[in-house]
Amino acid sequence: MGEDGNTSIFNTSYTSFLLVGFPGLQEWRPLLVLPLALLYMSILSANALVIHTVMAQRSLHQPMYVLIALLLAVNICAATAVMPKMLEGFVHYANPISLHGCLAQMFFIYFTLLLDYNLLLAMALDRYVAICHPLRYTELMTSHLLGLIATFALTRSLGVAVPLVVLTAKARFCRTSVIRHFACEYIALLSIACGDLTFNNRLGLAMRLVTVTFDLALLGTSYTRIIYAAFRISSGGARAKALHTCGSHLLVILTIYLSGLSTSIVFRVAKTVSQDVQNLLSAIYLLLPGALNPLIYGVRTKEIRQHIEKMLCGKQSFPDNEEKSQDMRGERELPE
């Protein structure tokens, strides 16, 4: 009878869960609802403002600005995949979610994160062509190439996110129905699964290492050559403009990859770190890019900033045409 009971328990798999994020902040949860709601609204409005600016201004219908708009659209999707359920968890201590809902949320979290990585690669390619091969920029960066890049980004993102979700769906969740996290992340779900999870853990780690290593190698190579070419531009204005643009992209890259790296290290190495700290690092990893990216691109990108100022404040911006022509002449002097 005991053996039958053990077998029954082992074969049980929960199909609904309770998300309990930040368990140590139970008394403060009602006070955090408003700041988090304001953060979510700020992410939506700031990203949407820059996207609208790029779409509304024909002068911004260029590959670099289109890629920025796509990145910010992904930021909105990523925040929307996490924030509504997170806010619900702060209103109600125990936040119910079905297995299918959990798997859907996990898919959108990792799909949007991977799209972020792929769009950063596309931006590096765009800047590489613009600065290292300026005379062939319009010839190479065509709408057809952008379509191929978008197809590659979607395919690669699906190729990583789908296997993780399918593998997780096959696991048995018999330890508990309580997920001590504000979202259905891969590691959080595996922590309540039973059975042999060696393959799951190794696959998740391998996919992250391969993806991050490959992307960082390409990004590092691209921006090294870009910066080297930028310093060889004869025009000081064009050189400063090229370095300034690359600086914005590098800030975004550092934000995304450093926050992701710190989260992975804490989850896999620092076992003594409290659950609240782990959840906080995950929140930073998932939400910080959406909060900072529109500020970085909206403030540091002169063309976007000027159009936003004109739209919001009625401020007329009159760029120095002579300076712009000098910058363009300087860019043409780049070595092939």
Side-chain angles (χ1 to χ4, degrees), residues 91-105:
V91 175
H92 309 289
Y93 178 71
N95 189 8
I97 188 171
S98 66
L99 175 59
H100 293 300
C102 208
L103 293 174
Q105 186 186 50

Side-chain angles (χ1 to χ4, degrees), residues 149-195:
I149 290 173
T151 302
F152 170 77
L154 290 171
T155 304
R156 184 169 179 248
S157 301
L158 288 171
V160 176
V162 170
L164 287 178
V165 173
V166 171
L167 198 61
T168 305
K170 293 181 178 180
R172 289 189 304 272
F173 305 99
C174 58
R175 292 184 180 179
T176 178
S177 62
V178 176
I179 302 176
R180 295 189 174 276
H181 204 285
F182 60 85
C184 294
E185 284 201 78
Y186 183 68
I187 298 177
L189 275 172
L190 288 188
S191 67
I192 64 169
C194 52

Side-chain angles (χ1 to χ4, degrees), residues 224-246:
T224 298
R225 298 194 64 178
I226 288 170
I227 292 172
Y228 175 74
F231 276 111
R232 297 184 65 184
I233 300 176
S234 58
S235 168
R239 180 170 57 250
K241 181 179 179 181
L243 292 174
H244 186 81
T245 303
C246 291

Side-chain angles (χ1 to χ4, degrees), residues 34 71 74 77 98 112 136 141 146 151 154 164 193 217 242 254 286 310:
L34 182 58
L71 181 69
V74 172
C77 295
S98 66
T112 52
R136 300 188 61 195
M141 294 303 295
L146 287 178
T151 302
L154 290 171
L164 287 178
L254 288 174
L286 296 173
K310 180 180 178 181

